[in-house]
Amino acid sequence: MAELVTYRESVAEGIAREMRRDRDVVCLGEDIGAAGGVFKTAVGLFDEFGPERVRDTPISEQAIVGAAMGAAMTGLRPVAEIMFSDFLACCWDYLANEIPKVRYMTGGQLGVPLVVRTANGGGLGFGAQHSQAVENWAFTVPGLKVVAPSTPSDVVGLMAAAIRSDDPVVFFEHKGLFAAKGEPAPPDHVLELGRAATVRRGDDVTLVALAWTVPMAMAAAEELAREGISAEVIDLRSLVPLDAAAVLESVGRTSRLVIVEENPYQGGWGATVASIVADEGFESLDAPVRRVAAECVPLPFADALEDVVLPSVDKVTAAVQALAAY
Amino acid sequence: MTHQLLDRYEQMAVIRRTEKAAHDLFLAGKVKGTTHLASGQEAVAVGASAALRADDYVFATYRGHHHALARGASPAACLAELMSRSTGLCRGKGGSMHLTKADAGMLGSYAIVGSHLPMAVGAAWSAAYRGTGQVAVAFFGDGATNIGAFHEALNLAAVWRLPVLFVCENNLYMEYTPIGSVTPVPNPAADRAGSYALPSELIDGNDVEVVEDAVRTAADRARAGEGPTVIEARTYRHHGHSRTDPATYRPADEVEEWLARDPLLLARARLAELGVPEGKVDAADERAERLVKEAVAEAEAAPGADPADALTDVWADGGATWRS
């Protein structure tokens, strides 16, 4: 068995593999050069590829993502880092108005093959402006692909797919998973965007999860198994494209659905998944669809408060137990 | 060089008449939404285009008809876009504010003020990285100089020493408010260049020869690896900000003064000075008149936007599918 690797190392590994095979792949962002990124997710890139391909920028989110867009429109495949996903709001014009629309509004004349990577999510006590899970922001914008891996190997396989994609991809790396270890990605590992992974088979209930909520759902499934409830866990891996077929197929067998999402309940991605199942999988359901999501408040600082707001293993098991009554 | 100036004159005449046609078609109910006409600012687009290489990149604003036309879009394709025709530049998916002709290096018209300056910086970065010798040009209004993206773009372009030109069309008014009343420096673009250690040129934007010279000099510097230049071209729009604006906020004597400095009149006077017979200039006007008249007819006769196109071009595969 190969030595385990971290999620953090896998980010740099995934980018490096693509930079080796394609000279048009370039990186830009704050502190990504010699510093290797504030989360150490770019370690080694500067040394291997040099300052022309791994460029430090000023703290200018609009310039970072706007320049990445201009470079992508003219032949490069930029990988732009926005340090914390909360800061996407500083360049939201590019993600809401420019990048996703330019192909459409020019009648197909232009494309934007870029990746915007960003550290997402809570659980680390960073407070309200450095802890949000904002994949639902990107999910509301037609024209963006949205990826959020949960394992080191998936990080590499999805990074390859994202960089090779001719469409713009927002790539959410979860801060709470950076230290997590897993099997290294095999050589030439490329996953397909929009293909969910069934990470645990089960018969009684389907748990749909993403990124940080995948290990949470797995832990809940372990606990439920001890109570005699067999839970299936689906890691969506990407929100756009959304593997709705995998969810519908699973619910067709289990008849129960709990969606575990880190973003707030209000406007969360799980609402779209629930609406699809209500619309197209209604006949399969034996119980209401439940969503375990964050409370609709800003993320608090203290652990005791953050624990109240974020989803947890206990909240997932409680939701499933409540459905067992149906 | 007189024949070149006559060519520039004719290009400006075509733009002026295309804008007039857009205005008339709007009043006739054949153009919907809104339009932001650039009549009066033709010299900036034509002068700059004359100085650029065919493969250089140009980014414009929602007031961008003149830039699309100057880079080679046909009046028929522009007017067809405004008239929601399937033969429009963007097949009816863009409209007046998003005219684009990518195959001529005109990489779009953007309607969020200032948003395209960082894009031009990125295109210049790409050109420098690929070693193509291309330059990128962002044209923007005076109002864009107070938005964050302007400052972020100038700073990044300066520190990376990129081949990009920032060309401000200062027409003295943002929308309804004079730029001077909300900006602490008299020249909103040129006076800021120094903050980023960038050279700047303050020029007469109504003189097509002056614009061409300034852009050529800046483009040569950029191609030689000497970095960006800020050009502030003072000009004036003959119409209001958009279709609904009668521009009553502008003093009559100011309007009169600028109409007397109409770029077409200035070019005509210069051609006379150079000894070009008036008949040749009149002939250019007649050709422009005929071309635009035919363009209007062609656009009117074209089929409307195809409803099937509403669900295409979101993704590179041509489609709009977001789920399985």
Side-chain angles (χ1 to χ4, degrees), chain B residues 93-176:
Chain B
K93 298 170 93 160
S96 165
M97 292 198 273
H98 303 301
L99 295 186
T100 302
K101 189 158 172 60
D103 60 9
M106 199 280 176
L107 300 189
S109 306
Y110 297 87
I112 306 294
V113 170
S115 64
H116 59 304
L117 276 75
M119 294 177 211
V121 171
W125 173 36
S126 159
Y129 178 79
R130 290 178 288 114
T132 60
Q134 294 162 288
V135 303
V137 185
F139 296 97
F140 52 96
D142 41 276
T145 63
N146 289 323
I147 207 160
F150 168 87
H151 296 274
E152 292 193 13
L154 263 62
N155 183 64
L156 188 64
V159 293
W160 287 6
R161 215 177 165 78
L162 295 172
V164 57
L165 278 56
F166 300 102
V167 180
C168 176
E169 294 174 62
N170 180 0
N171 61 22
L172 315 188
Y173 294 83
M174 296 182 293
E175 294 189 25
Y176 299 9

Side-chain angles (χ1 to χ4, degrees), chain A residues 122-123 131 133 135 174 209-210 212-214 216-217 258-265 269 291-295 299 305-317:
Chain A
S131 299
E135 60 272 11
H174 203 287
L210 183 77
W212 185 63
T213 70
V214 173
M216 182 184 296
V258 173
I259 301 160
V260 191
E261 52 192 313
E262 187 183 344
N263 56 206
Y265 186 91
W269 57 261
R291 292 173 57 210
V292 177
E295 297 293 340
L299 265 292
L305 305 181
E306 199 177 23
D307 290 347
V308 172
V309 174
L310 291 175
S312 65
V313 174
D314 287 349
K315 289 180 187 178
V316 176
T317 51

Side-chain angles (χ1 to χ4, degrees), chain A residues 181-199:
Chain A
K181 288 189 172 178
E183 295 289 326
D188 305 315
H189 186 48
V190 187
L191 290 168
E192 187 184 341
L193 299 181
R195 189 62 63 91
T198 302
V199 289

Side-chain angles (χ1 to χ4, degrees), chain A residues 10-31:
Chain A
S10 301
V11 174
E13 171 67 11
I15 298 168
R17 288 186 182 188
E18 291 309 300
M19 291 184 82
R20 282 176 205 130
R21 60 175 283 282
D22 184 353
R23 237 194 83 78
D24 291 336
V25 180
V26 290
C27 297
L28 72 166
E30 297 158 14
D31 299 319

Side-chain angles (χ1 to χ4, degrees), chain B residues 16 33 52 55 63 73 77 92 110 128 136 154 158 208 216 219 227 234 285:
Chain B
R16 176 68 55 84
L52 295 174
D55 63 346
R63 193 182 312 286
Y110 297 87
L154 263 62
V208 70
R216 180 166 290 118
R234 280 174 79 88
D285 273 328

Side-chain angles (χ1 to χ4, degrees), chain B residues 56-324:
Chain B
D56 287 335
Y57 300 121
V58 165
F59 295 81
T61 74
Y62 53 87
R63 193 182 312 286
H65 299 174
H66 54 329
H67 292 296
L69 290 161
R71 286 296 281 187
S74 73
C78 290
L79 291 170
E81 183 65 24
L82 269 59
M83 294 170 75
S84 305
R85 298 297 203 261
S86 66
T87 57
L89 276 179
C90 308
R91 303 208 312 278
K93 298 170 93 160
S96 165
M97 292 198 273
H98 303 301
L99 295 186
T100 302
K101 189 158 172 60
D103 60 9
M106 199 280 176
L107 300 189
S109 306
Y110 297 87
I112 306 294
V113 170
S115 64
H116 59 304
L117 276 75
M119 294 177 211
V121 171
W125 173 36
S126 159
Y129 178 79
R130 290 178 288 114
T132 60
Q134 294 162 288
V135 303
V137 185
F139 296 97
F140 52 96
D142 41 276
T145 63
N146 289 323
I147 207 160
F150 168 87
H151 296 274
E152 292 193 13
L154 263 62
N155 183 64
L156 188 64
V159 293
W160 287 6
R161 215 177 165 78
L162 295 172
V164 57
L165 278 56
F166 300 102
V167 180
C168 176
E169 294 174 62
N170 180 0
N171 61 22
L172 315 188
Y173 294 83
M174 296 182 293
E175 294 189 25
Y176 299 9
T177 304
I179 186 69
S181 70
V182 296
T183 311
V185 291
N187 307 300
D191 291 350
R192 264 74 172 265
S195 306
Y196 304 103
L198 292 179
S200 65
E201 290 277 348
L202 189 61
I203 63 168
D204 179 356
N206 280 18
D207 186 327
V208 70
E209 291 179 305
V210 166
V211 174
E212 185 174 338
D213 285 349
V215 171
R216 180 166 290 118
T217 302
D220 286 348
R221 287 189 63 247
R223 287 190 227 285
E226 291 168 34
T229 301
V230 175
I231 295 174
E232 180 170 332
R234 280 174 79 88
T235 183
Y236 205 71
R237 51 173 152 80
H238 290 178
H239 298 271
H241 164 72
S242 63
R243 246 307 299 150
T244 50
D245 170 22
T248 51
Y249 45 81
R250 302 195 300 193
D253 55 341
E254 179 188 284
V255 176
E256 211 170 298
E257 190 186 316
W258 279 97
L259 286 178
R261 303 200 62 260
D262 181 326
L264 285 156
L265 292 180
L266 292 187
R268 235 179 200 279
R270 176 79 180 135
L271 286 162
E273 219 175 273
L274 294 167
V276 176
E278 204 175 351
K280 279 197 162 187
V281 187
D282 290 341
D285 273 328
E286 281 157 28
R287 283 194 299 274
E289 183 77 30
R290 199 162 52 241
L291 176 72
V292 174
K293 203 175 155 194
E294 286 165 9
V296 170
E298 186 183 330
E300 287 204 89
D306 181 354
D309 265 349
L311 302 182
T312 64
D313 295 328
V314 173
W315 308 120
D317 67 7
T321 303
W322 64 279
R323 53 160 287 201
S324 63

